Amino acid sequence: MTAAELRLDEAVSLLSGADMATTEALPGRGIRSVSMTDGSNGLAMNLPDFSGKVPATCFPTSSALAASWDPELVSRVAAAIAAEARAAGADVLLSPGMNLKRDPRGGRNFEYYSEDPLLTGELAAAFVRGAQSTGIGACVKHFAVNNQETDRMRVSAEVSERALRELYLPAFETVVRRAKPWMVMAAYNRINGAYATEDRRLLTGILRDEWGFDGVVVSDWGAVDDRVRALRAGTDLEMPSTSGASDAQVARAVEDGELDRSVVDVSADRLIGLAHRADAAGPAPAVDADAAGELAVEAARRSAVLLTNRDHALPLTRGQRVAVLGGMAASLRYQGGGSAAVNARTTPEPLAAALTAAHGNAVPFAQGYRFDLDPDTPEAEALIAEAIAVAEELDVAVVVVGLPDAAESEGFDRADLALPASQHRLIEAVAAVAPRTVVVVVSGGVVELGEWRGRVDAILFAGLAGQGVATAIADLLTGAASPSGRLSETWPVRLQDAPSFLSFPGEAGRSVYGEGVFVGYRGYDAVDRDVAFPFGHGLAYTTFEYESMRVVADAADGTWNVDLRLRNSGRRPGREVVQIYLERPHGTRAAPVRALAGFAALELEAGASGSASISVPRRALERWDEATGGWVLDPGAYRFVAAASSRDLRLGTAVDIDSAVPMQPLTPESTLQEWLAHPVLGPALLERVSASDDSGRTIGMLTNPHALLMIGGLPIRRLAVDAGSALTDHLLDDVIARFAPQDSTT
């Protein structure tokens, strides 16, 4: 059955939802309905009566899981989520969320992976592969440049083409080309004035024509402003149901000749294909809740990042007397709010209980603070005093701090990065009396740490790590597991240091991405700004020596292979995440200092050595050229750097690349500077002007460096209007006709 065989009303009905979560069916035509559900960190399917959500395993949020830098783990988690979704009757998982973390205040940052497009693309592709291996479809979102919640339904992201191509689109391209998702969700926001759902260049020109996407484009829920424009742009399915209103608009547009029936049929055929894909999935795989729970704990362990560990304060030793302090320890946060929230099968036990079981000794607890108490009240002071009394009698105080539920959710951005004042007071008071103080941070993203950051003995960032978070933290603190997570976003010293601080979230319906390609570590590095913890940072209970590095070109496909050898130089087994950064040739215009180009992980026993091979694609070396509208490989010396973080650089190798650079086509509207800089037209222009300049006035002006400072930015045609000038419109046209390169490259 194809759309051309359907009546117009039937074909049009397929293009909008039947309700909040399903597509329309045409039973008489053999076309079934398709059911969709959220599921970034666990199945988030609503019950039919919307009285709650289906019970499911709650895994770490995407922000936490990203800290694993482990695509294989992400794939396994996705498969487990998908299996539960299929068992509940879903056909499509509305995940992963994969927008770039442009600003640390982004309200849905806990649902996203990283500030870096390469890391985001690798992890999101792994999620899609894992989910779709179970027979369910994945829907990547939110396409594109959806980086804030403030005014999210209409804000226009004003972003350069270079930033789009180098930062905001590459992860989506990676997933579409390599993982083949069934669906892509068009975002709420506008991009340079055009709603994403109505942006034909984005949805058809880039997504389909350039990248080869052959699935269904669905709108975010309520994101369609004009259904006919959106359909023409490439938005196949509008969600949720509009009770027939959108169908009537589309049908009327066809009947009035405003919209060709073929446009309807193309999208309707995609929906028919989606239904057939769901039909072909076969029986749902069995769900093993116990195995999923064990995987949730494993993922939580792998997601934690050891930020500091002074004098080997961690892991705890068996004989140490330990206390757990802080109200969050009794009721650990494990996920964010909004549509992705999971009705967890089990919730984390209090950390004191988990640590008692793991440590072997009774671990007392004191509350220390409450979110609902003003820190200046006597009751709040009494809680701190109680915590101090416990801490000063023992060997180690584990203080658990973080953000409350209301601080991180879909629908709004964070106003700041601050932890509650009561938590700072507790840490400072405890650190002053406890022999050792360990701080555990529980949040979905970056927080500002106080002056105590350098005074406490260790800081463990647990993230929002799902239902297994208490067990995972206890295992990591006691050394039953070794921390191996790495930050997927930079932690600034203070919010004002963030590259997007002054322009986020914008005003009057516009958010100007003035930082361009300098997002995250790219921005901090460009201005050499101190950070609390760099992108890619994370410690282990051992150390690693980077012994050798070799970089070899693969002439067949333009990739570069980086071979590394490492040694575990400590006394414990551990996992090292090797990061390869690329530094562009010196003098490259407006380029980041370095950018992530690949990564791999090695697990090594104490004293053992091992090798890693990392492939760096040609695209990692290229930049988007605004003038020529394409990717450019600049000639010069590129430096490949093996690192433990974006600022912990271990080994480096330089390679010289000789390449042809596309030149901007010149016209009379090009500036004098652009003409003179052109290796072919510049000399030709000067030769022709000199030959026809009897007085020498014009050629003198064109070659005078001081004059060029004043007039070099003028469009050259404005210099050709002077009747006394040897530079004329005819001369310009003749130079272009005779000397302009045919292929625009040199």
Side-chain angles (χ1 to χ4, degrees), residues 503-591:
S503 56
F504 181 94
E507 59 184 345
R510 297 170 68 246
S511 184
V512 178
Y513 286 44
E515 68 280 358
V517 297
F518 297 98
V519 170
Y521 68 91
R522 290 167 167 83
Y524 297 104
D525 289 349
V527 295
D528 195 22
R529 184 162 292 151
D530 287 341
V531 298
F533 302 107
F535 174 80
H537 170 73
L539 304 177
Y541 292 152
T542 188
T543 54
F544 296 90
E545 296 293 333
Y546 288 54
E547 296 181 327
S548 64
M549 175 181 182
R550 187 170 69 105
V551 180
V552 180
D554 186 338
D557 59 6
T559 62
W560 293 80
N561 297 315
V562 182
D563 296 320
L564 290 158
R565 189 154 184 84
L566 278 70
R567 182 172 62 89
N568 181 341
S569 53
R571 298 180 179 180
R572 290 174 171 268
R575 174 178 177 266
E576 174 75 339
V577 177
V578 181
Q579 302 156 46
I580 300 299
Y581 292 87
L582 193 69
E583 298 177 354
R584 300 185 59 79
H586 179 71
T588 303
R589 185 174 56 185

Side-chain angles (χ1 to χ4, degrees), residues 305-598:
V305 182
L306 184 60
L307 297 175
T308 66
N309 193 23
R310 189 172 62 184
D311 297 329
H312 306 289
L314 291 176
L316 303 172
T317 59
R318 178 65 68 173
Q320 286 178 312
R321 298 169 300 159
V322 181
V324 168
L325 312 175
M328 287 193 77
S331 181
L332 287 163
R333 275 189 70 212
Y334 56 95
Q335 64 177 332
S339 57
V342 177
N343 177 17
R345 281 201 178 92
T346 63
T347 54
E349 64 180 325
L351 181 58
L355 194 53
T356 294
H359 190 49
N361 300 319
V363 175
F365 166 75
Q367 193 165 28
Y369 62 82
R370 281 185 9 213
F371 286 124
D372 62 342
L373 279 182
D374 186 314
D376 295 321
T377 62
E379 190 174 1
E381 293 294 339
L383 290 177
I384 292 179
E386 178 190 6
I388 291 173
V390 172
E392 62 187 357
E393 294 297 322
L394 302 176
D395 299 313
V396 182
V398 176
V399 185
V400 180
V401 298
L403 300 175
D405 287 327
E408 295 176 292
S409 174
E410 176 183 358
F412 59 88
D413 294 312
R414 293 162 62 187
D416 53 47
L417 306 181
L419 290 170
S422 58
Q423 296 181 354
H424 288 294
R425 290 188 182 183
L426 175 64
I427 295 171
E428 290 165 354
V430 169
V433 301
R436 282 193 167 179
T437 302
V438 174
V439 176
V440 176
V441 180
V442 178
S443 68
V446 174
V447 295
E448 284 182 2
L449 306 181
E451 294 182 359
W452 50 261
R453 172 165 60 96
R455 296 201 298 267
V456 300
D457 297 281
I459 304 172
L460 180 71
F461 176 50
L464 296 179
Q467 68 185 49
V469 61
T471 302
I473 292 174
D475 288 346
L476 292 163
L477 292 178
T478 59
S482 178
S484 64
R486 302 292 186 269
L487 292 179
S488 64
E489 58 183 317
T490 306
W491 282 38
V493 174
R494 56 184 195 143
L495 172 60
Q496 291 88 334
D497 295 334
S500 55
F501 172 70
L502 291 176
S503 56
F504 181 94
E507 59 184 345
R510 297 170 68 246
S511 184
V512 178
Y513 286 44
E515 68 280 358
V517 297
F518 297 98
V519 170
Y521 68 91
R522 290 167 167 83
Y524 297 104
D525 289 349
V527 295
D528 195 22
R529 184 162 292 151
D530 287 341
V531 298
F533 302 107
F535 174 80
H537 170 73
L539 304 177
Y541 292 152
T542 188
T543 54
F544 296 90
E545 296 293 333
Y546 288 54
E547 296 181 327
S548 64
M549 175 181 182
R550 187 170 69 105
V551 180
V552 180
D554 186 338
D557 59 6
T559 62
W560 293 80
N561 297 315
V562 182
D563 296 320
L564 290 158
R565 189 154 184 84
L566 278 70
R567 182 172 62 89
N568 181 341
S569 53
R571 298 180 179 180
R572 290 174 171 268
R575 174 178 177 266
E576 174 75 339
V577 177
V578 181
Q579 302 156 46
I580 300 299
Y581 292 87
L582 193 69
E583 298 177 354
R584 300 185 59 79
H586 179 71
T588 303
R589 185 174 56 185
V593 174
R594 66 187 60 89
L596 185 68

Side-chain angles (χ1 to χ4, degrees), residues 87 131 141 205 208 255 293 295 343 353 502 569 571 609 614 632 677 733:
K141 61 184 186 183
R208 294 195 186 279
E255 292 163 354
L295 178 59
N343 177 17
L502 291 176
S569 53
R571 298 180 179 180
S609 295
I614 301 171
V632 170
D733 292 341

